Amino acid sequence: MAKNRTQFICQNCGTVHQRWAGKCDSCGEWNTLIEEGTSGGIGAGPGSLRSARKGRVVAMTTLSGEIEDAPRIVSGIGELDRATGGGFVRGSALLVGGDPGIGKSTLLTQAAAALASQGHRVVYVSGEEAVAQIRLRAQRLGAASSPVELAAETNVEDILATISEGRRPDLVILDSIQTLWTDLADSAPGTVTQVRASAQALIRYAKSTGAAIVLVGHVTKEGQIAGPRVVEHMVDGVLYFEGEGGHHYRILRTVKNRFGPTDEIGVFEMSDGGLREVANPSELFLGERHAKSPGAAVFAGMEGTRPVLVEIQALVAPSPLGTPRRAVVGWDGARLSMILAVLEAHCGVRFSQHDVYLNVAGGFRISEPAADLAVAAALVSSLTGLALPADCVYFGEISLSGAVRQVAHAQQRLKEAEKLGFGSAVLPLGSEEIGVGTGSGAFRPTELAELVARIAGSRRGSAAQAGELD
Ligand code: TYD
Ligand code: MG
């Protein structure tokens, strides 16, 4: 007789364990293992309840052949359409993840209203908020008059039965996947089993009807409910909505997209009237600059296809500690250690007696190695107390040997810098020669040591200017 087995499933990463443990071996999170029954669980596909049958032969095809462009529904909210790669794709499932309160429901309400006003059938199902709360938000957003179909419901079968009535919907928004539950699985809503089974049912609905579905997923720290990661592999696209507490702008980042480019970002600003598009993010990130203080360097970065200028701030201060402190916000800590090591080993700059703090202004997060040169410049500037030229941008990767390496899209970075009034640039030698930024002083070091010497040498120049040197 088959025994009714139970399993322990990590609510963070979805790994199945046979035995309970305090820590998940797979992702290293603590207290995330929860006992769940096996029915409707992992591997329970659509056919698992049917008796074993002989397989059907499917026709093979070739790699070449007719391709159609994915049919899209364009919301008209430029930054959202940019992140989705040109609009929601019919018959696809999109996951929008983010911390609670970041603005996911606000963004999707605005998108729903925009699409419904264009004549699309848009259904918004909320499992989190009551209808009155959603209406209140819609009023605040000035979207109350648009013909969005609204329901507060959490059972997947009921939702599918409801939206199957009448004309096929163009877009179905489910806020959030963690509140949904299906009759097919018997664990509590929010567990990995329920989240996966519900997502699977909805994705099957999208594929079979051609409606686009959007699943909202909360990022969870405590692991009490399953995070969006457990459905990332099932959906066609994943967008994360990010922002730092205390900053009012939000970044919609494309992490996965089966129908378009990844690494694209959409930038928004949260206001009293909902999310406003920010068409030129560089102006926003450079808004509150104090160009005259040492330790600040402007990095000319790329986010997907778009250049973004952002200020990198470093503070290097004498440390009272045996092991000095290194703290990073918005960049990779390991990468900072590497830059510090290269500065010590190849440029004779010593940080071993100093605390080092590095911050990317405005809560922006950089993942590009191209920021190396800007980080190094900010660090040296702070250590020496010499401010960098205010009208200069920096980009370039630094190798462990201390050499400055080329990065992609030099032309676009320089164009953006020029547009925003920057007159000079420090960039790798051999970057696509195009005339932009070269007229007004481009400095092209091959070694990091050259840049360090230039910054240190500016003491003499600035002192002479101020008449301090004779
Ligand atoms: P919400 O969309 O409910 O977040 P999520 O769905 O990601 O949990 O947004 C919540 C926050 O946004 C809330 O703190 C209030 C703020 N907000 C505004 O500042 N302006 C607005 O117009 C709206 C609708 C919300
Ligand atoms: Mg919400």
Side-chain angles (χ1 to χ4, degrees):
M1 219 177 77
K3 236 167 69 185
N4 195 8
R5 297 247 315 276
T6 57
Q7 318 175 308
F8 296 89
I9 302 182
C10 171
Q11 304 296 304
N12 185 50
C13 68
T15 309
V16 181
H17 298 254
Q18 295 311 324
R19 221 170 262 119
W20 189 85
K23 182 184 179 187
C24 172
D25 300 334
S26 181
C27 64
E29 285 293 317
W30 288 88
N31 288 329
T32 55
L33 264 56
I34 286 188
E35 182 174 345
E36 291 186 31
T38 48
S39 69
I42 323 303
S48 64
L49 296 178
R50 275 180 246 150
S51 59
R53 63 174 178 92
K54 202 154 172 271
R56 168 175 66 84
V57 177
V58 294
M60 297 287 187
T61 179
T62 56
L63 284 175
S64 63
E66 290 268 305
I67 316 163
E68 281 171 38
D69 264 355
R72 291 182 183 270
I73 319 168
V74 182
S75 71
I77 302 175
E79 295 293 303
L80 174 64
D81 292 333
R82 173 196 288 277
T84 52
F88 299 108
V89 177
R90 289 185 192 276
S92 79
L94 183 71
L95 174 72
V96 177
D99 291 325
I102 203 78
K104 301 180 294 297
S105 305
T106 306
L107 176 68
L108 291 170
T109 307
Q110 286 179 261
L115 284 166
S117 310
Q118 290 172 30
H120 294 290
R121 182 180 174 207
V122 182
V123 179
Y124 192 110
V125 182
S126 178
E128 306 211 319
E129 290 160 302
V131 168
Q133 270 176 299
I134 302 167
R135 282 191 185 141
L136 208 63
R137 179 187 289 121
Q139 257 171 26
R140 202 167 156 188
L141 300 172
S145 59
S146 68
V148 177
E149 293 173 41
L150 180 64
E153 182 51 59
T154 54
N155 180 269
V156 174
E157 282 74 27
D158 292 348
I159 292 170
L160 290 179
T162 312
I163 56 182
S164 302
E165 298 247 300
R167 179 158 75 98
R168 179 200 72 185
D170 296 290
L171 180 70
V172 182
I173 296 165
L174 296 132
D175 190 1
S176 67
I177 182 71
Q178 282 126 342
T179 55
L180 299 184
W181 59 281
T182 158
D183 302 332
L184 291 175
D186 54 13
S187 33
T191 55
V192 170
T193 309
Q194 276 291 2
V195 166
R196 279 200 182 148
S198 305
Q200 211 164 46
L202 291 161
I203 292 168
R204 214 176 312 132
Y205 169 81
K207 304 275 176 213
S208 63
T209 60
I213 65 164
V214 175
L215 305 173
V216 174
H218 291 295
V219 171
T220 56
K221 296 262 154 53
E222 287 76 33
Q224 288 308 305
I225 50 174
R229 288 208 168 268
V230 298
V231 291
E232 265 184 3
H233 66 283
M234 300 163 69
V235 293
D236 299 299
V238 179
L239 304 179
Y240 275 100
F241 209 28
E242 307 172 343
E244 288 286 323
H247 291 292
H248 51 272
Y249 63 84
R250 306 276 183 264
I251 292 164
L252 189 64
R253 198 179 285 274
T254 316
V255 175
K256 165 178 173 179
N257 194 349
R258 286 187 182 149
F259 302 102
T262 50
D263 295 332
E264 202 59 82
I265 61 165
V267 185
F268 297 91
E269 198 175 355
M270 183 62 96
S271 69
D272 288 343
L275 289 156
R276 263 207 303 266
E277 294 178 60
V278 177
N280 193 339
S282 302
E283 276 168 14
L284 185 76
F285 295 129
L286 293 177
E288 302 140 21
R289 260 178 90 210
H290 297 290
K292 292 240 168 58
S293 56
V298 176
F299 166 52
M302 289 294 293
E303 285 291 340
T305 56
R306 178 158 56 172
V308 175
L309 264 55
V310 57
E311 188 183 65
I312 293 185
Q313 304 164 343
L315 176 63
V316 179
S319 177
L321 306 168
T323 313
R325 205 184 268 273
R326 270 94 180 88
V328 193
V329 178
W331 208 48
D332 182 16
R335 197 113 199 139
L336 172 66
S337 307
M338 197 195 95
I339 305 290
L340 292 173
V342 172
L343 281 168
E344 295 221 357
H346 298 290
C347 311
V349 186
R350 305 207 67 82
F351 290 97
S352 53
Q353 308 288 317
H354 290 85
D355 289 335
V356 175
Y357 302 90
L358 191 79
N359 179 39
V360 178
F364 196 66
R365 190 164 56 78
I366 302 174
S367 49
E368 265 192 302
D372 290 355
L373 212 52
V375 170
L379 289 170
V380 174
S381 162
S382 175
L383 182 70
T384 56
L386 297 166
L388 299 168
D391 71 335
C392 187
V393 296
Y394 298 79
F395 63 89
E397 189 178 340
I398 297 170
S399 69
L400 283 178
S401 66
V404 177
R405 304 179 47 169
Q406 284 183 48
V407 294
H409 309 297
Q411 188 169 357
Q412 273 166 284
R413 296 174 201 265
L414 289 172
K415 274 211 179 107
E416 174 81 357
E418 201 171 48
K419 204 169 84 192
L420 291 169
F422 287 84
S424 61
V426 175
L427 69 166
L429 188 70
S431 300
E432 314 148 42
E433 293 292 335
I434 18 77
V436 188
T438 43
S440 48
F443 178 57
R444 295 188 157 83
T446 51
E447 299 287 329
L448 181 57
E450 294 169 37
L451 175 63
V452 175
R454 186 182 166 99
I455 296 170
S458 70
R459 185 197 305 271
R460 189 165 281 275
S462 58
Q465 249 175 13
E468 290 166 18
L469 269 184
D470 281 35

